[in-house]
Amino acid sequence: MSAFDVKHKSRALTEGPARAAARSYLKGIGFDDEALAKPIIGVAHCWIETMPCNFNHRVLAKKVKDGITAAGATPMELNTVAISDGITMGTSGMKTSLVSREVIADSIELVARGHRFDGLVVLSGCDKTIPAAVMALARLDIPGVMLYGGSILPGHFQGHEVTIQEVFEAVGAHAAGRMTDEELNELESAASPGAGACGGQFTANTMAMAFEVLGISAAGSAMVPAEDGKKADVAVEAGRLAVEVLERGLTPRKLITRDSLENAIAAVAMSGGSTNAVLHLLAVANEAGVELSIDDFDRIADRSPLLCDLKPGGRYVAKDLYDAGGVPLVVRRLDEAGLLHRDAPTVSGQTIGEVGDAATEAEGQQVVRPLSDPLKPTGGLAILRGNLAPDGCVVKLSGHERRHHQGPARVFEGEEEAMAAVTAGTIQRGEVVVIRNEGPAGGPGMREMLAVTAALNGAGLGEHVALLTDGRFSGATHGFMAGHVAPEAARGGPIAAVRDGDTITIDVDARRLDVELDEATIAERIAAYDPPVSPDATGVLLKYAKLVGSASEGALT
């Protein structure tokens, strides 16, 4: 028998004469006395019919419930929301995406607290659902497991594999006259062939990898594609594992530690993952009560070689990583590089070092390079400061070779203005595109700039301009871009002082982002700056704008 009370929460809801009414309600929908006598494990998922990313969640939830039942506990399913970054990208709807992270975490927390779940399995898929799931687990600190629904398989276009990244870039190519209407239609019809999250090492797969390395997801589970037949087995095992974790009394805060977060950051850097990992891991650390700062990302990335040849900067997608050996292979490389805190525990019962030891590597695979042949000697991101970003900003380094750019500013008060300039062909080589009032409060909602960055690449400007913003970038973004510039314009950040023609320097080696203005001029311009009023600052977005903190601290409410 377990020394841990497996009904440590639900006992107060289901036992004793005083709880007759509660039991009566539950019996009416199929829970009998035997079921109510067992521990209750919530199965939270983000099924929604607005995207492919989470479209398999109801099917997977059924398999998770089968695993829970077989292991001797009672599952209770619940549904929360999700916003598709890819579908809302480039519209005002994208402002709701980061907000949804807080709403998802809040809703899971509320149901689990209210209904006294003893344990929890949380299914995630699209970008914000993944950190939201782990944030909820960290808040609740009840035994639990995160299960990633898996990535989409690649599509096929003109004889080669494609992802949604190619569609976004095709918009720029089409606007520049380099692609016909018919070709664009053929590509858009082929690039997203089924259920699952975006296939490259974009935000969803980055966070799924990070949380498997952190230990809150089962070893080997994340990279199984959404429509692979083995995903159902992974889901059943997640349900069984949740009961085992409950019996062991293993709670999330025992897994989410400084060491495990550093392991996750190193995996992000080694894989060339999304800069959104900075926001999300800071948020998870905060929920778990672990001290973590953006400077930790720079320190860890600077000593982590870039080994994973994954899109958007590389050649391969998540399915290829799965075939090569999955996340455990990346763990092995981290260990070989001396970057792994081997003793960090995982939800699977092994230490993360043991996960790496047990990894398999497909013969001849080229997805994860050997330490002797890195793509780059340092990781895929860097943190810069300077008079334009006194609280820091995040630069993505994978997918290009540039580490320095100096040029005149081209300033836009929001994404739509910038996108119009790109599609009209008025952006010039050498310029630094500045997009402001897209931060957590100013947007509100901190939109991703994939539509703009992809259009710049599609128009052939990706290697010739730089871009900075107080908003975010998609994990599918590649090029010389500085995001999360903090403080943001709406909160009096120096980015508000920039005007067309000002000289901006991005210097990765010096870790600096600067504008050639003296302090007095910057202060004078900030004082005179009147940020535009967002037409979207109503309802939930207005509430968010009032509550949200800086991107440099995870954009927490």
Side-chain angles (χ1 to χ4, degrees), residues 136-503:
L137 286 170
R139 285 183 198 173
L140 291 160
D141 203 32
I142 58 174
V145 176
M146 195 277 279
L147 171 62
Y148 175 50
S151 69
I152 197 169
L153 296 173
H156 293 85
F157 172 70
Q158 295 184 349
H160 58 274
E161 292 188 343
V162 291
T163 68
I164 203 70
Q165 174 187 340
E166 282 78 9
V167 183
F168 278 103
E169 293 180 1
V171 173
H174 178 267
R178 297 164 58 193
M179 177 175 274
T180 67
D181 291 346
E182 291 75 20
E183 288 172 326
L184 182 61
N185 181 265
E186 182 186 350
L187 175 59
E188 75 177 58
S189 300
S192 183
C198 297
Q201 191 67 346
F202 311 154
T203 303
N205 284 320
T206 296
M207 297 314 301
M209 173 185 288
F211 289 136
E212 185 175 322
V213 174
L214 182 142
I216 199 70
S217 294
S221 66
M223 291 303 119
V224 182
E227 295 193 330
D228 189 296
K230 293 180 181 176
K231 200 71 185 188
D233 299 332
V234 169
V236 172
E237 174 59 19
R240 188 205 61 76
L241 181 59
V243 179
E244 180 187 311
V245 167
L246 175 60
E247 291 171 344
R248 285 190 270 144
L250 181 62
T251 57
R253 293 190 188 182
K254 295 174 183 175
L255 299 172
I256 305 170
T257 64
R258 176 75 185 203
D259 282 356
S260 69
L261 284 161
E262 290 197 353
N263 287 340
I265 294 168
V268 172
M270 183 173 279
S271 68
S274 169
T275 54
N276 284 313
V278 177
L279 272 183
H280 299 325
L281 290 174
L282 285 171
V284 168
N286 183 276
E287 300 287 6
V290 179
E291 186 176 333
L292 191 71
S293 78
I294 59 168
D295 296 315
D296 293 314
F297 289 80
D298 192 73
R299 172 179 56 82
I300 294 167
D302 193 48
R303 68 186 192 197
S304 305
L306 179 62
L307 297 183
C308 296
D309 193 1
L310 295 166
K311 287 178 181 285
R315 296 176 292 169
Y316 299 106
V317 296
K319 180 188 181 300
D320 300 315
L321 176 57
Y322 171 58
D323 292 338
V327 174
L329 178 56
V330 178
V331 172
R332 177 187 287 178
R333 291 288 193 273
L334 289 170
D335 198 18
E336 292 169 353
L339 297 169
L340 190 72
H341 297 288
R342 283 185 53 89
D343 293 336
T346 73
V347 75
S348 298
Q350 307 156 285
T351 65
I352 194 65
E354 290 169 337
V355 170
D357 293 342
T360 59
E361 181 171 354
E363 185 176 353
Q365 69 83 22
Q366 299 180 43
V367 184
V368 184
R369 304 278 278 269
L371 280 179
S372 59
D373 185 28
L375 290 160
K376 290 186 177 183
T378 59
L381 59 87
I383 304 298
L384 276 55
R385 295 181 187 268
N387 71 354
L388 256 183
D391 291 345
C393 69
V394 185
V395 175
K396 190 165 188 176
L397 301 177
S398 55
H400 65 91
E401 300 302 320
R402 300 161 68 196
R403 298 179 70 87
H404 186 278
H405 183 98
Q406 185 176 71
R410 185 78 180 277
V411 183
F412 300 97
E413 304 287 359
E415 182 184 5
E416 284 81 4
E417 282 188 15
M419 188 66 177
V422 174
T423 54
T426 63
I427 302 297
Q428 303 300 311
R429 291 189 174 200
E431 289 183 330
V432 180
V433 177
V434 179
I435 306 176
R436 63 190 177 201
N437 293 299
E438 293 289 1
M446 203 178 183
R447 280 191 289 186
E448 292 179 348
M449 302 290 124
L450 177 59
V452 173
T453 60
L456 284 168
N457 280 300
L461 290 168
E463 295 300 315
H464 307 288
V465 300
L467 188 151
L468 65 91
T469 179
D470 51 10
R472 297 182 294 127
F473 297 125
S474 165
T477 292
H478 64 108
F480 203 26
M481 319 286 178
H484 308 197
V485 172
E488 61 177 292
R491 295 272 171 87
I495 192 174
V498 181
R499 295 179 182 172
D500 282 349
D502 289 343
T503 299

Side-chain angles (χ1 to χ4, degrees), residues 104-114 136 139-140:
I104 295 163
D106 289 352
S107 63
I108 295 170
E109 178 194 4
L110 286 171
V111 176
R113 279 179 182 268
R139 285 183 198 173
L140 291 160

